[in-house]
């Protein structure tokens, strides 16, 4: 009976681990066109211009879903980053594999009255609560700085 109960409960535990309880969100209003914002946010080769954690990114020339890029972090670590989902001119989601889970970042462009870029990040997996508790606030602060850096990069440097 216990074995049957375990087989029933295990998938529920696994599913629960993959649903983000906590997300970190940062948005910034841009003074540019949606096309220019999308072009800049998908120009992976220039991430180091506005993301202080990135030294370089190497991706295949044509980006598509489930494609893996390689990123060199500011600590010298080589990290594989997977482009999980992408809707042209709207959003993309990238995934970093962690030792006991995943870290996702979604970047989206909204064009209502102003062009806004929003970055949403979340952890999944066995250690998500640990990451959220011990890395989350630092990451939230870092996100705010990164989005401001992107705004400056886009409005002052991109395309010049």
């Amino acid at each position: 009976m216990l074995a049957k109960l375990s087989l029933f409960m295990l998938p529920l535990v696994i599913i629960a681990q993959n649903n983000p309880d906590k997300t970190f969100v940062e948005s910034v209003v841009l003074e540019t066109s949606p096309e220019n914002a999308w072009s800049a946010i998908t120009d992976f080769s220039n991430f180091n211009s506005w993301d202080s954690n990135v030294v370089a990114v190497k991706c295949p020339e044509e980006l598509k879903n489930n494609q893996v890029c390689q990123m060199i972090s500011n600590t010298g670590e080589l990290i594989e980053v997977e482009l999980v989902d992408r809707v042209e001119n709207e959003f993309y989601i990238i995934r970093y594999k962690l030792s006991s889970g995943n870290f996702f970042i979604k970047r989206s462009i909204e064009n209502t009255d102003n062009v806004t870029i929003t970055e949403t990040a979340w952890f999944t997996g066995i250690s998500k609560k640990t990451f959220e508790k011990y890395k989350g606030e630092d990451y939230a602060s870092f996100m705010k700085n990164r989005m401001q850096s992107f705004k400056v990069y886009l409005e002052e440097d991109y395309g010049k």
Side-chain angles (χ1 to χ4, degrees), residues 28 30-51 54 57 59 63 86 88-92 94 107-109 115-117 119 146-147 149-160:
V28 66
L30 305 170
E31 295 187 28
T32 190
S33 69
E35 297 80 16
N36 201 33
W38 180 255
S39 179
I41 202 69
T42 57
D43 183 0
F44 289 84
S45 65
N46 280 319
F47 272 26
N48 61 341
S49 299
W50 53 271
D51 188 336
V54 176
V57 177
C59 293
L63 288 175
R86 177 183 180 194
E88 190 71 24
N89 296 315
E90 290 183 29
F91 73 88
Y92 67 81
I94 55 177
R107 294 190 178 117
S108 57
I109 304 287
V115 177
T116 304
I117 181 170
E119 181 172 284
R146 178 170 51 213
M147 288 294 92
S149 292
F150 178 74
K151 177 180 175 67
V152 169
Y153 164 73
L154 179 65
E155 293 176 358
E156 295 179 9
D157 299 328
Y158 188 71
K160 292 184 180 179

Side-chain angles (χ1 to χ4, degrees), residues 33-145:
S33 69
E35 297 80 16
N36 201 33
W38 180 255
S39 179
I41 202 69
T42 57
D43 183 0
F44 289 84
S45 65
N46 280 319
F47 272 26
N48 61 341
S49 299
W50 53 271
D51 188 336
S52 62
N53 275 346
V54 176
V55 172
V57 177
K58 183 175 181 178
C59 293
E61 197 164 311
E62 183 184 340
L63 288 175
K64 54 188 174 188
N65 290 351
N66 303 314
Q67 198 152 35
V68 175
C69 300
Q70 293 185 328
M71 178 187 85
I72 300 172
S73 73
N74 62 355
T75 62
E77 185 180 6
L78 182 63
I79 302 169
E80 286 194 347
V81 180
E82 180 183 2
L83 182 62
V84 177
D85 195 9
R86 177 183 180 194
V87 174
E88 190 71 24
N89 296 315
E90 290 183 29
F91 73 88
Y92 67 81
I93 301 172
I94 55 177
R95 176 180 68 162
Y96 299 87
K97 291 183 182 180
L98 304 172
S99 59
S100 58
N102 295 290
F103 179 59
F104 292 89
I105 298 174
K106 177 181 181 181
R107 294 190 178 117
S108 57
I109 304 287
E110 297 171 30
N111 185 21
T112 51
D113 293 335
N114 297 311
V115 177
T116 304
I117 181 170
T118 301
E119 181 172 284
T120 307
W122 66 94
F123 297 95
T124 64
I126 295 170
S127 296
K128 76 177 180 176
K129 294 289 185 194
T130 303
F131 284 114
E132 289 170 356
K133 183 176 181 179
Y134 295 106
K135 300 285 187 181
E137 293 309 312
D138 289 341
Y139 190 77
S141 174
F142 175 74
M143 274 175 68
K144 184 174 185 163
N145 292 336

